[in-house]
Structures are given as structure tokens and as C-alpha cells.
């Protein structure tokens, strides 16, 4: 991958950064010049990824064990990451969990509470506690990872649909607040369709463990006739994190192969 320095001199905190979309985003931003703070409940995984990034780009990455459902941990991680990087100009709220494919009459309070805390409330914590540092940077960007499930319903995914829709609308609210206050912090959401990450594991299990069969089934409803790669999302995040997107805020970006255009 060529490096053009599209986010040179910036400093990014990426939640859920140890694997999947978060890992792809961390690599993308680091290779384009940003320092990256990788936070994840899997602290060892975050440390391993930071070490691999630093082996290629010395001093680019740091790692933090981080339960995004805990406000106290948000306060601690934001403070440490900002100090370690010498500032904060990008926040990527990526951490999330998926449904266990429960229909409404089978769903549980525990399932809803877990997804609310991780998918939605954590985004509020991130925006709240990162905002003072982002404002101080002079030109900042928040990218909240939602889903096309936040824009269109799907059977058996009530909590996931609801929390991802909450991320979509909360993003617009914070974007308008920041603009009203002249903080120069842009806030946008990204809405992927099925991406080749562990979040598709329930669909693979439903296909008897046959990953190719599961992916082919999921691709049938996508006009481009394939599911996405993590870098398809990472490139979108890179654009929104860069100053190329300096006049874009409160918007939603669909990375869905045309699925929601139908």
C-alpha cells in the first residue's frame, strides 16, 4: 500500500482496535502518517497489534486495555492516550457487538443491555471525554462506526438495529453541537454492510461452519455481489479523518455495495 501522508501529524484513538475493522483502521491511519492509540477489551491483542505496527512504523502505535462500557476507563484511556501521543485529533468509535439473532419474543433484557452499553452508550462516553482534547487540536474528526443495520431493519436483530440507529442519530446531534460552538470538530458515521470479520461468525455457524457458503448467501442481496473487506471501511474512515473532509459533518457514509440503494 502506498503512503501519501493523508493524516500526517494527527493522533487517533481507535476503540475495538485489536482485530477486524479496528485493526484495518489502525493500520490504515498509521501508514498514512497518524499516531494510533489502539484500545480494546482484549488488551493483549491491542499490544500485539501495536507491536506489529511499530515494527513497520517505529513509534506510531500504543495500546490500552479498555472496556468501553466503563466511563471510568474512558476517562483513563483518553487521558493516557492523549498524553502518550502528545494530543488527540481523531476518535474512531469502532467497538461493538452483534446480536445472537433473537426474535422479539425470544430476546432478553441482558442482550439489550449489553448491546446498549457497548454499541451506543460507549459512543457517548467517547464523544464526551475526548471532545476537550479534540477541540484543543484545532482541527479534529470523530468517526462513529454504525451499520446499515442502523438504517434498515432485519429480523432477529432488534437490539443491534436499535443501537446502531442510535449511533447514527447521536452522530448528527454531536456534529451540530460542535458546529454551533465553532469547535472545528467534525462528526460523521460510517455504515458498513457485511464485512469479512468475526461479526459474521453467527452467519457462518448457521451455514454449518462453511464460511464460503455463508458469504455467498450474504452477498446475494448486495448489488456488487460480494461482501466487503475491512479496508473498504478503513479507506472511508481515512477520508473522514483527514482534512480532505474538512467541510463534511453530520453525514452518514454507506459502505454497502449498493445494498441500501435498492
Amino acid at each position: 500500500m502506498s503512503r501519501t501522508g493523508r493524516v500526517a501529524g494527527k493522533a487517533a484513538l481507535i476503540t475495538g482496535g485489536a482485530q477486524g475493522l479496528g485493526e484495518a483502521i489502525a493500520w490504515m491511519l498509521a501508514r498514512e502518517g497518524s499516531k494510533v492509540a489502539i484500545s480494546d477489551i482484549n488488551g493483549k491483542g491491542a499490544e500485539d497489534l501495536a507491536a506489529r505496527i511499530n515494527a513497520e512504523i517505529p513509534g506510531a502505535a500504543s495500546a490500552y486495555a479498555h472496556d468501553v462500557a466503563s466511563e471510568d476507563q474512558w476517562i483513563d484511556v483518553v487521558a493516557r492516550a492523549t498524553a502518550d501521543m502528545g494530543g488527540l485529533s481523531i476518535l474512531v468509535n469502532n467497538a461493538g457487538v452483534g446480536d445472537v439473532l433473537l426474535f422479539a419474543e425470544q430476546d432478553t433484557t441482558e442482550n439489550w443491555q449489553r448491546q446498549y452499553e457497548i454499541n451506543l452508550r460507549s459512543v457517548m462516553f467517547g464523544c464526551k471525554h475526548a471532545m476537550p482534547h479534540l477541540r484543543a487540536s484545532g482541527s479534529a474528526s470523530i468517526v462513529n462506526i454504525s451499520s446499515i443495520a442502523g438504517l434498515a431493519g432485519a429480523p432477529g436483530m432488534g437490539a443491534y438495529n436499535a443501537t446502531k440507529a442510535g449511533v447514527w442519530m447521536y452522530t448528527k446531534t454531536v456534529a451540530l453541537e460542535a458546529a454551533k460552538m465553532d469547535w472545528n470538530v467534525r462528526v460523521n458515521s460510517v455504515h458498513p454492510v457485511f464485512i469479512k470479520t468475526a461479526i459474521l461468525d453467527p452467519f457462518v455457524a448457521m451455514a454449518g461452519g462453511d464460511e464460503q457458503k455463508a458469504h455467498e448467501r450474504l452477498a446475494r442481496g448486495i448489488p456488487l455481489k460480494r461482501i466487503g473487506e475491512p479496508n473498504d471501511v478503513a479507506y472511508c474512515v481515512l477520508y473522514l479523518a483527514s482534512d480532505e473532509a474538512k467541510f463534511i459533518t453530520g453525514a452518514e457514509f454507506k459502505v454497502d455495495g449498493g445494498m441500501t440503494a435498492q
Side-chain angles (χ1 to χ4, degrees), residues 13-218:
L13 171 59
I14 304 148
T15 67
Q19 62 283 309
L21 292 183
E23 178 179 0
I25 292 165
W27 273 113
M28 183 73 69
L29 295 179
R31 284 171 170 159
E32 288 292 340
S34 180
K35 291 182 179 179
V36 292
I38 301 158
S39 89
D40 202 289
I41 196 167
N42 176 8
K44 179 62 165 55
E47 290 174 1
D48 289 347
L49 176 57
R52 284 186 280 125
I53 291 174
N54 286 331
E56 180 179 316
I57 313 164
S62 53
Y64 311 85
H66 184 191
D67 178 358
V68 296
S70 166
E71 185 168 16
D72 287 343
Q73 288 193 30
W74 264 107
I75 294 168
D76 176 63
V77 168
V78 167
R80 286 195 291 135
T82 301
D84 289 345
M85 294 189 293
L88 183 65
S89 48
I90 300 166
L91 171 65
V92 182
N93 279 307
N94 168 70
V97 293
D99 266 318
V100 290
L101 300 177
L102 294 174
F103 286 90
E105 66 180 15
Q106 303 164 323
D107 216 337
T108 65
T109 300
E110 292 76 17
N111 178 49
W112 273 76
Q113 185 67 26
R114 177 171 178 262
Q115 294 200 58
Y116 162 69
E117 290 179 353
I118 297 173
N119 293 350
L120 180 55
R121 192 176 66 175
S122 73
V123 175
M124 181 273 287
F125 287 155
C127 292
K128 174 182 178 179
H129 295 295
M131 188 64 78
H133 304 286
L134 295 167
R135 289 166 53 191
S137 76
S139 177
S141 173
I142 297 173
V143 183
N144 295 326
I145 306 299
S146 179
S147 169
I148 63 159
L151 305 174
M157 298 179 66
Y160 190 72
N161 285 126
T163 54
K164 288 301 187 178
V167 171
W168 172 45
M169 197 51 57
Y170 183 69
T171 296
K172 292 181 179 296
T173 299
V174 179
L176 291 173
E177 290 174 354
K180 182 182 177 77
M181 300 301 293
D182 295 326
W183 286 342
N184 201 17
V185 179
R186 297 174 294 100
V187 192
N188 296 287
S189 58
V190 174
H191 300 255
V193 71
F194 308 116
I195 307 293
K196 292 179 184 177
T197 67
I199 204 166
L200 298 186
D201 287 352
F203 298 97
V204 175
M206 290 168 63
D210 188 329
E211 183 177 81
Q212 181 177 349
K213 183 178 180 181
H215 290 180
E216 288 174 352
R217 284 180 178 175
L218 294 173

